[in-house]
Amino acid sequence: LVALSGVEKVYGKGESQVYALAGADLRIDNGEFVAIMGPSGSGKSTCMNIVGCLDQPTSGSYRFRGVEVGTLSRDELALLRRHYLGFVFQGFNLLARTSAVENVELPLVYRRVAAGERRRLALAALAAVGLEGREKHTPAELSGGQQQRVAIARAIVTNPSILLADEPTGNLDSARSVALMELLVALNRTRGITIVMVTHEPDMAAYSTRTVVFRDGKVASDGPTSRR
Amino acid sequence: LVALSGVEKVYGKGESQVYALAGADLRIDNGEFVAIMGPSGSGKSTCMNIVGCLDQPTSGSYRFRGVEVGTLSRDELALLRRHYLGFVFQGFNLLARTSAVENVELPLVYRRVAAGERRRLALAALAAVGLEGREKHTPAELSGGQQQRVAIARAIVTNPSILLADEPTGNLDSARSVALMELLVALNRTRGITIVMVTHEPDMAAYSTRTVVFRDGKVASDGPTSRR
Ligand SMILES: Nc1ncnc2c1ncn2[C@@H]1O[C@H](COP(=O)(O)OP(=O)(O)OP(=O)(O)O)[C@@H](O)[C@H]1O
Ligand SMILES: Nc1ncnc2c1ncn2[C@@H]1O[C@H](COP(=O)(O)OP(=O)(O)OP(=O)(O)O)[C@@H](O)[C@H]1O
Ligand SMILES: [Mg+2]
Ligand SMILES: [Mg+2]
């Protein structure tokens, strides 16, 4: 499904040059639940952005479903993202002047889903993350953890083939974090959604089947998640 | 130092009325290191904003150093914040077009510190959170955990009397989180800085001496932090 090979991402030039990724190799198959861990600044979000077709490598290859993503046009990339991907951003990236339910409906608008069906699916996604009763609130009227859950609901509302979640429990208390992990496991097992989740909490990584650890822009280790 | 009594914070009217705080009582003395925990939406950030003089209760009393904060003018509140408080926001609130070092210098600009001394103090604060070499980067050129650390550096650069940190390790890996907790303990013990820290991670709360748990806008429990 996902095949990164020798992927590099470089910013800046000369003395201030930064290798966000310095030769990353990563293969992910359909139906996996992968946890990505590693120190701050080690390249996890950069890797997620490339996998999610939001950014391009400066060198190396990224094949998504067998297609070399670097050869696609911007329009083709947008179509690919809308069709296959759900993304929970580390910084949420919600629309500030838009209500929670409208934020969640946005991927369905792109898919030309009818208004009634859109509302039904968006409310169901918000209920799945415990936000009933908050759908009319804008992000500024929500707590940090509530904003994070709106971002999660938006990522799952289209039932994507692959869900990319960058630190999805960073602002959630233990009970909510566990509830979210159980929801992700259910989506993975009953709907076959492939999940790639960046987390720094070992208790959350424990719900995955495979753990990939980044260090200095490369994959440092990659293997089955140890039972805790 | 901090005395909240019967504090309420209400948003909205009628059917959509929300009690973010519903009668919160909290006393914090000089030199304490308090962890604030509780479910998402239970009022922790609202409480921190009131303690930090960024927001006013809709009813109840908040006395800071014996002064009823509700009686102060906006200018007096701004002076109070700049003189006594350091704040790490849950959403960081960094200036987007400004470099990391300039973001960290901002509280020193307000205090009329000379440019050379400002730069020295800001670089020292950035080094204390492991960000040497990143001072010229703007927030967009930094990882999530690096942005969080810039926010922390900005909050400690003035050596504030009281440091309010809202989920300061939400985006940090385990090693960085532990390093930050050790830094906070050192600031608390060697410089007497009072620390109030919202966290959802028990391993981080363990560094505090007292734990306050919120539920539904009120303090549900308040006592010594249990040893782990
Ligand atoms: N402007 C607003 N209008 C309406 N409701 C609001 C507003 N701001 C906050 N709230 C509500 O107040 C409640 C408390 O919010 P607060 O941000 O204090 O929670 P929190 O404990 O910090 O949560 P988290 O752990 O998710 O950060 C939430 O239910 C939130 O939806
Ligand atoms: N636009 C940019 N210009 C320069 N450097 C950048 C830019 N964007 C990212 N970087 C650098 O690339 C490195 C990797 O960033 P990335 O966001 O992938 O890290 P991360 O593993 O997600 O970290 P965190 O756990 O803190 O979120 C970081 O050192 C960061 O400073
Ligand atoms: Mg990141
Ligand atoms: Mg909060």
Side-chain angles (χ1 to χ4, degrees):
Chain A
L1 183 62
V2 164
L4 292 164
S5 177
V7 164
E8 293 185 345
K9 182 71 185 179
V10 184
Y11 292 106
K13 296 188 196 58
E15 262 212 42
S16 66
Q17 196 167 59
V18 174
Y19 274 78
L21 291 176
D25 298 314
L26 183 63
R27 282 187 52 101
I28 299 174
D29 297 321
N30 251 316
E32 288 199 74
F33 187 160
V34 183
I36 296 191
M37 305 189 78
S40 175
S42 55
K44 307 180 297 295
S45 295
T46 304
C47 174
M48 294 280 272
N49 289 340
I50 288 173
V51 170
C53 302
L54 293 161
D55 198 6
Q56 303 271 9
T58 35
S59 75
S61 149
Y62 170 36
R63 303 184 78 84
F64 180 74
R65 300 173 59 99
V67 177
E68 181 57 51
V69 167
T71 65
L72 300 179
S73 72
R74 285 183 58 148
D75 287 347
E76 288 171 317
L77 286 173
L79 281 174
L80 197 154
R81 284 196 302 269
R82 286 171 191 174
H83 199 76
Y84 292 109
L85 291 154
F87 211 121
V88 186
F89 295 94
Q90 192 168 7
F92 315 156
N93 291 2
L94 300 176
L95 298 179
R97 296 202 198 88
T98 314
S99 71
V101 67
E102 289 170 327
N103 263 288
V104 175
E105 286 184 353
L106 196 55
L108 300 171
V109 171
Y110 286 136
R111 290 187 174 202
R112 311 256 189 284
V113 174
E117 177 70 354
R118 258 188 357 234
R119 178 72 26 144
R120 186 185 75 73
L121 289 169
L123 291 176
L126 285 167
V129 294
L131 282 175
E132 310 91 332
R134 283 278 181 279
E135 49 268 13
K136 294 274 187 299
H137 289 229
T138 62
E141 297 167 350
L142 294 171
S143 76
Q146 289 166 342
Q147 292 172 21
Q148 185 149 40
R149 286 182 274 148
V150 174
I152 293 162
R154 181 181 62 183
I156 64 176
V157 73
T158 56
N159 228 357
S161 310
I162 173 165
L163 173 65
L164 303 173
D166 199 342
E167 298 282 2
T169 65
N171 288 287
L172 298 180
D173 54 278
S174 312
R176 287 261 174 233
S177 297
V178 167
L180 175 64
M181 289 302 112
E182 291 174 346
L183 172 63
L184 294 185
V185 168
L187 292 175
N188 177 244
R189 289 186 190 162
T190 65
R191 295 194 204 171
I193 296 181
T194 306
I195 300 182
V196 186
M197 175 179 79
V198 174
T199 181
H200 68 259
E201 294 187 53
D203 288 351
M204 300 298 116
Y207 287 85
S208 67
T209 49
R210 175 177 160 214
T211 297
V212 174
V213 180
F214 272 79
R215 181 185 302 285
D216 298 327
K218 292 180 182 167
V219 173
S221 78
D222 184 346
T225 299
S226 42
R227 297 267 136 253
R228 287 170 67 90
Chain B
L1 183 65
V2 164
L4 292 163
S5 179
V7 164
E8 293 185 345
K9 183 71 185 181
V10 184
Y11 292 107
K13 295 187 195 59
E15 262 213 40
S16 68
Q17 194 167 59
V18 173
Y19 274 78
L21 290 176
D25 298 314
L26 183 64
R27 282 187 53 100
I28 299 174
D29 298 321
N30 250 316
E32 287 199 74
F33 187 160
V34 183
I36 296 191
M37 308 189 77
S40 176
S42 56
K44 307 180 295 297
S45 294
T46 305
C47 175
M48 294 281 273
N49 290 340
I50 287 173
V51 171
C53 303
L54 292 161
D55 199 5
Q56 302 274 6
T58 34
S59 74
S61 147
Y62 170 37
R63 303 183 79 83
F64 180 73
R65 299 172 61 98
V67 176
E68 180 58 51
V69 167
T71 64
L72 300 179
S73 71
R74 287 184 54 148
D75 287 349
E76 289 171 316
L77 286 172
L79 281 174
L80 199 154
R81 285 195 303 268
R82 286 171 193 175
H83 199 76
Y84 293 109
L85 291 154
F87 211 122
V88 186
F89 296 94
Q90 193 168 5
F92 316 156
N93 290 3
L94 300 177
L95 297 179
R97 295 202 197 85
T98 314
S99 70
V101 67
E102 288 170 327
N103 263 288
V104 175
E105 285 184 353
L106 196 54
L108 301 171
V109 171
Y110 287 135
R111 289 187 175 202
R112 311 259 189 283
V113 175
E117 177 71 355
R118 264 195 344 242
R119 177 75 23 146
R120 184 185 75 73
L121 289 169
L123 291 178
L126 284 168
V129 295
L131 282 176
E132 310 90 332
R134 284 277 182 275
E135 50 266 15
K136 294 273 186 300
H137 289 229
T138 61
E141 296 167 347
L142 293 171
S143 75
Q146 291 168 341
Q147 291 172 21
Q148 185 150 39
R149 285 182 276 150
V150 174
I152 293 162
R154 180 180 63 183
I156 65 176
V157 73
T158 55
N159 230 356
S161 310
I162 173 166
L163 174 66
L164 303 174
D166 198 342
E167 298 282 0
T169 66
N171 286 286
L172 298 181
D173 54 279
S174 313
R176 287 259 174 237
S177 297
V178 166
L180 176 63
M181 289 302 111
E182 292 174 346
L183 172 64
L184 295 184
V185 167
L187 292 174
N188 177 244
R189 289 186 190 162
T190 65
R191 294 192 204 172
I193 298 180
T194 307
I195 301 182
V196 186
M197 174 178 80
V198 174
T199 182
H200 68 257
E201 296 187 51
D203 288 350
M204 300 296 115
Y207 287 83
S208 67
T209 48
R210 176 179 160 212
T211 298
V212 173
V213 181
F214 272 79
R215 181 185 303 283
D216 299 326
K218 291 178 183 168
V219 173
S221 79
D222 184 346
T225 300
S226 43
R227 297 268 133 250
R228 291 168 65 91

